Amino acid sequence: MIFPAQLHQTADGGIVVSKLDEMINWARSNSLWPLVFGTSCCAIEMMSAADAKYDWSRFGFEVARATPRQADLIIVAGTIVMKMAPVLKRLYDQMPDPKYVIAMGACTISGGPFFYNTYSVVKGVDHIIPVDVYIPGCPPRPEALLHAMITLQEKIKHETYFGKTKEPGK
Amino acid sequence: MSLLGEDIVTEEGEFVINIGPQHPSTHGVLHLKVWLDGETIKKVQPHLGYIHRSIEKMSESLSYRNFIYATSRMDYLSAHINNQACALCVEKGLQIEAPPRAQVIRVLMAELTRLSSHQLWWGCTGLDLGAVTPFFYAFRERELIMEIMEESCGARLTQNYSVPGGVMYDIHPNFQKRTKDVLKQIKAKYQEYEDVLTGNVIFEQRTKGVGYISPEDAVSFGCTGPTLRGSGVSCDVRKWFPYDGYDKVQFDEVLQTGGDCYARYMVRIGEMKQSVSIIEQLIDNIPDGDFQAKTKMVLKLPKGEFYQRVETARGELGVYIVSDGAASPYRIKYRSPNFSNLSALEHMAVGSKIGDLVAIMATIDLVIPDVDR
Amino acid sequence: MTNEEIKQSVSALFPGVTYDETGEFLTILISPAELRPVMKALRFNKEYNFDFLFCLTCIDWKTHLMMVYHLLSRKHKHNIVVKAKIADIVNPEIETICDIWQTANFHEREVYDLFGVKFINHPDMRRLLLDENWDGYPLRKNYVDENMISI
């Protein structure tokens, strides 16, 4: 994305004029660092999105941190079961603000293929943490994950640092 | 309640740490409590169940055609081989056999799956031990194989291609030519793999002599697959109890006698070459005919018990179906290879250092959803 | 060894056992009290040498529980199944065999977790897959869970 500013030519160079909100959003959305978190099959497609063919580091997601203290984004890839739910909540709480969540795969949206007749699966990760973007699929293709990341970047660009968040499109 | 739990008892000088459940090198959600004296491991206690999705209970209310999809998600890196095991077990109960074309297609897909699983294992072993380059090299080749699968089966990772009676659809007309091109590319890369990791002096020092397990202990712990073949015990199900036409192809069972991490590593490298050789033998000789045997719409197995074993990329998978004559199984038990391989982890790791624990877990090649089912 | 030879020599050592040959493998039906002597004989006698326990599970038949053990002899390339019927479904108990085959350690913990069968003299009888304070044994047929959504 091009730098969100206007250049006013003056005698000795120029002045760049922009809104503070737009600059902060531009910086935040283009360098989201995901947390290394994958429980089951969707984690393999997440690793495929990180490799050389689909390459998520083109979008700024280069550094995947192992510790939640240094991560901005948690991509929940894989089924969450009742024993894992407190662990996920603790990881989410340890992440510093601003933080975002992508729910990847059918299991995290609603329990997915494990909805009926299971006693231990949490039917949707939004029972535990608030989710920003949902990706359907079992497992979703790496291109779907990249599409979700771009959607999240669009969502971040509509945030306001001072005042209320605008709705996208208004 | 403390973070570690109330059952922790330590001696003088020992302390206990948690590894996982969220950890970059545990290959899934495995929680290990490790008793340490300095950096030396005294005791390792695995805590499982963080991905226990109750697949066995769920399968008791699904039909005999439906329950196969859940096994793709169990050991997702050998998804096709898991599906093949379930299809073969139901065929055993119905006393039918898949037509020759379907058998050869299933073997080809199984060997491609084994090859892609071992490539991912190779990349992740390098990544765990600190080398990032093998990760990108391995995924480069793996993407080629996943594209072949996507063209014929419809999905990259969880294929659901085997059904009781054969395969779901016929292979794509492009399958044979594409597979031959991909094999040519993969064979040209073997030297690169040897140069990057196998002959590397740091890698050899981190894996030789580490994580030794004797053949008797490995058999007693129930290890199968490359974990057991690294200690010199012959156990390949494709040779011992052949299925789906494996007795008609020529391949060697790769055995090493070291018993340590390096031996298990060399077994898998050898198996990749054997898989390529099996595919080359079969790719031009796919028989003509049906791709699926005729079966009824609603499958009902007669009263009794049926056990089918196959060789996945990690060991022997057993599907045990107990039927009481209804349209759903009464009880299904999956004898998963990773469950037994994991129980040998403590035996291999006691006495070594923390860095060696990572090397041991990398060469046992665990996939945790298969442990928890 | 063929099935007939195994039947004859096992009956000579343990006269009370019965056999079932309807399935794929020869099945030996024993009572829980003679589990340890039979298993020790199968493991350590040179003529059997069943050194590989590859499947340990339990089946809930509503009136009783059936413990199932699948054994393989690597030397003689022979598979058999041993079954022990537990009649008490309220407090089921059976002896452990994890000192004979070390793989039984995890398998028995899993059976305790999902079926409630207690293994006497097991070194670490705790739940394996579910949370420590989970209520009930899910794979039993009389398990009721209001959180479970059934079709």
Side-chain angles (χ1 to χ4, degrees):
Chain A
M1 186 199 164
I2 50 173
F3 192 65
Q6 284 173 334
L7 181 64
H8 287 267
Q9 285 291 353
T10 55
D12 50 345
I15 309 176
V16 166
V17 176
S18 172
K19 281 194 230 170
L20 199 56
D21 271 340
E22 285 185 13
M23 284 194 47
I24 292 174
N25 289 341
W26 172 83
R28 272 194 193 146
S29 62
N30 284 342
S31 76
L32 284 168
W33 289 359
L35 174 69
V36 172
F37 183 78
T39 49
S40 63
C41 355
C42 284
I44 301 296
E45 294 294 46
M46 191 167 76
M47 281 155 62
S48 289
D51 73 9
K53 184 169 179 190
Y54 296 104
D55 196 20
W56 64 15
S57 45
R58 294 179 278 169
F59 304 99
F61 299 82
E62 167 79 43
V63 194
R65 308 306 293 179
T67 163
R69 302 277 183 199
Q70 296 168 357
D72 301 305
L73 165 68
I74 180 166
I75 304 178
V76 186
T79 324
I80 299 294
V81 297
M82 298 199 184
K83 197 167 178 182
M84 188 70 188
V87 177
L88 177 62
K89 180 85 176 71
R90 184 184 278 168
L91 284 173
Y92 182 74
D93 288 339
Q94 282 179 338
M95 284 164 70
D97 272 337
K99 53 193 172 188
Y100 307 98
V101 177
I102 293 184
M104 178 175 179
C107 291
T108 50
I109 300 178
S110 69
F114 302 103
F115 186 77
Y116 289 115
N117 296 312
T118 53
Y119 46 83
S120 62
V121 171
V122 175
K123 317 269 194 288
V125 81
D126 47 12
H127 290 292
I128 303 168
I129 53 179
V131 175
D132 291 300
V133 182
Y134 295 90
I135 315 177
C138 188
R141 288 189 61 109
E143 286 106 329
L145 178 59
L146 293 176
H147 179 73
M149 287 169 156
I150 296 172
T151 311
L152 181 63
Q153 287 181 332
E154 300 288 322
K155 184 174 176 177
I156 293 173
K157 289 188 177 104
H158 287 98
E159 284 181 355
T160 51
Y161 197 63
F162 307 100
K164 288 204 292 247
T165 304
K166 293 192 303 254
E167 294 295 307
K170 285 197 184 140
Chain B
M1 180 166 141
S2 79
L3 288 173
L4 290 168
E6 280 134 9
D7 56 337
I8 304 297
V9 172
T10 54
E11 291 175 5
E12 178 76 38
E14 270 182 5
F15 60 97
V16 184
I17 63 167
N18 277 322
I19 298 186
Q22 183 263 338
H23 195 269
S25 77
T26 49
H27 299 270
V29 273
L30 175 64
H31 179 194
L32 296 173
K33 284 191 189 160
V34 183
W35 273 247
L36 292 172
D37 177 13
E39 268 207 35
T40 315
I41 297 176
K42 289 296 187 63
K43 187 170 154 186
V44 176
Q45 211 183 58
H47 286 251
L48 310 174
Y50 288 92
I51 187 77
H52 175 66
R53 291 179 280 195
S54 46
I55 290 181
E56 292 178 2
K57 179 87 181 181
M58 190 172 74
S59 303
E60 288 173 11
S61 51
L62 296 171
S63 72
Y64 282 108
R65 287 187 192 278
N66 275 353
F67 80 102
I68 299 184
Y69 81 88
T71 51
S72 297
R73 276 99 185 145
M74 244 164 50
D75 178 3
Y76 40 79
L77 294 172
S78 341
H80 175 84
I81 308 178
N82 292 3
N83 294 344
Q84 189 184 15
C86 291
L88 282 166
C89 197
V90 175
E91 283 169 17
K92 201 179 246 190
L94 296 171
Q95 291 180 329
I96 59 174
E97 209 179 282
R101 184 179 173 84
Q103 288 188 353
V104 170
I105 294 177
R106 287 206 291 220
V107 167
L108 280 170
M109 290 293 182
E111 293 307 314
L112 282 171
T113 308
R114 195 186 313 274
L115 193 55
S116 73
S117 166
H118 282 336
Q119 275 169 345
L120 187 141
W121 158 81
W122 184 79
C124 287
T125 299
L127 190 65
D128 286 347
L129 295 178
V132 184
T133 313
F135 181 72
F136 293 103
Y137 284 4
F139 269 85
R140 178 187 60 191
E141 265 79 68
R142 198 182 134 83
E143 289 292 329
L144 298 169
I145 298 180
M146 303 252 261
E147 278 174 17
I148 300 177
M149 301 236 167
E150 193 186 11
E151 211 177 33
S152 283
C153 311
R156 286 159 52 103
L157 194 69
T158 50
Q159 286 104 8
N160 271 5
Y161 191 45
S162 294
V163 291
V167 289
M168 209 185 262
Y169 344 92
D170 209 352
I171 44 173
H172 198 268
N174 223 2
F175 176 73
Q176 281 164 303
K177 176 173 178 316
R178 199 164 186 164
T179 311
K180 284 195 271 205
D181 290 337
V182 164
L183 284 186
K184 238 189 291 187
Q185 275 181 284
I186 289 180
K187 274 159 74 166
K189 300 289 180 197
Y190 281 149
Q191 192 52 44
E192 211 175 74
Y193 289 6
E194 302 277 319
D195 290 339
V196 165
L197 209 54
T198 313
N200 189 316
V201 66
I202 300 178
F203 180 77
E204 288 190 2
Q205 282 203 337
R206 278 198 77 170
T207 50
K208 278 192 174 158
V210 166
Y212 176 74
I213 187 165
S214 67
E216 295 79 29
D217 279 332
V219 169
S220 178
F221 275 109
C223 299
T224 47
T227 312
L228 187 57
R229 292 200 275 280
S231 298
V233 181
S234 156
C235 62
D236 196 334
V237 177
R238 300 173 292 172
K239 290 270 190 213
W240 278 59
F241 307 102
Y243 54 92
D244 255 2
Y246 268 112
D247 41 357
K248 303 192 188 74
V249 282
Q250 308 280 345
F251 66 101
D252 296 323
E253 190 178 344
V254 184
L255 291 175
Q256 295 270 336
T257 47
D260 58 0
C261 289
Y262 193 73
R264 295 189 276 272
Y265 173 89
M266 291 310 289
V267 165
R268 289 202 177 88
I269 297 283
E271 275 184 13
M272 291 209 287
K273 297 185 175 139
Q274 293 299 320
S275 284
V276 169
S277 138
I278 294 178
I279 299 174
E280 278 174 344
Q281 284 171 46
L282 290 175
I283 190 71
D284 281 321
N285 304 326
I286 305 181
D288 294 320
D290 283 334
F291 55 87
Q292 199 181 87
K294 293 268 176 293
T295 48
K296 292 205 190 85
M297 205 54 206
V298 174
L299 297 174
K300 281 191 185 173
L301 259 60
K303 232 171 145 170
E305 304 174 359
F306 312 100
Y307 190 88
Q308 175 66 41
R309 32 169 43 124
V310 299
E311 177 82 13
T312 66
R314 282 157 191 85
E316 174 190 324
L317 170 73
V319 178
Y320 177 55
I321 297 184
V322 177
S323 159
D324 62 347
S328 310
Y330 188 79
R331 165 100 172 99
I332 289 194
K333 157 91 179 152
Y334 295 109
R335 187 258 176 221
S336 67
N338 291 297
F339 191 69
S340 309
N341 289 352
L342 177 62
S343 55
L345 177 71
E346 179 170 11
H347 183 86
M348 290 189 213
V350 166
S352 49
K353 307 261 187 273
I354 281 263
D356 297 334
L357 181 66
V358 175
I360 295 169
M361 280 201 293
T363 49
I364 299 181
D365 196 8
L366 294 167
V367 166
I368 305 300
D370 198 28
V371 176
D372 289 346
R373 273 158 284 131
Chain C
M1 290 183 84
T2 62
N3 284 355
E4 279 305 316
E5 290 169 11
I6 296 185
K7 270 167 52 175
Q8 276 169 10
S9 69
V10 170
S11 289
L13 289 171
F14 304 100
V17 303
T18 51
Y19 300 96
D20 175 12
E21 285 182 273
T22 52
E24 189 186 347
F25 309 135
L26 170 67
T27 305
I28 305 178
L29 299 149
I30 62 176
S31 73
E34 36 182 26
L35 178 73
R36 281 190 69 88
V38 171
M39 290 303 197
K40 274 199 174 134
L42 290 174
R43 168 81 175 85
F44 294 115
N45 274 7
K46 286 283 177 277
E47 51 183 13
Y48 307 130
N49 208 313
F50 284 108
D51 54 353
F52 195 61
L53 168 68
F54 59 90
C55 189
L56 199 170
T57 183
C58 180
I59 310 175
D60 181 2
W61 287 110
K62 294 185 189 148
T63 50
H64 60 275
L65 294 170
M66 187 73 96
M67 291 291 302
V68 183
Y69 303 83
H70 282 76
L71 300 169
L72 166 68
S73 165
R74 291 222 165 265
K75 200 159 149 212
H76 304 289
K77 207 168 173 180
H78 204 92
N79 294 297
I80 58 165
V81 178
V82 178
K83 285 195 189 173
K85 179 170 158 176
I86 303 181
D88 182 3
I89 57 169
V90 176
N91 282 325
E93 271 187 349
I94 196 170
E95 282 181 330
T96 183
I97 55 168
C98 66
D99 50 337
I100 312 178
W101 290 278
Q102 282 163 307
T103 182
N105 195 327
F106 268 27
H107 281 95
E108 288 177 350
R109 279 179 69 184
E110 186 200 347
V111 169
Y112 168 62
D113 193 2
L114 298 172
F115 284 93
V117 179
K118 282 209 170 56
F119 290 88
I120 308 169
N121 293 330
H122 192 276
D124 190 12
M125 192 85 266
R126 285 181 302 160
R127 281 192 185 262
L128 185 69
L129 297 171
L130 296 172
D131 221 351
E132 278 157 6
N133 37 14
W134 191 279
D135 215 1
Y137 302 108
L139 248 60
R140 297 286 289 267
K141 295 290 177 182
N142 54 4
Y143 178 69
V144 168
D145 188 350
E146 59 277 349
N147 291 329
M148 217 158 87
I149 304 174
S150 304
I151 304 180

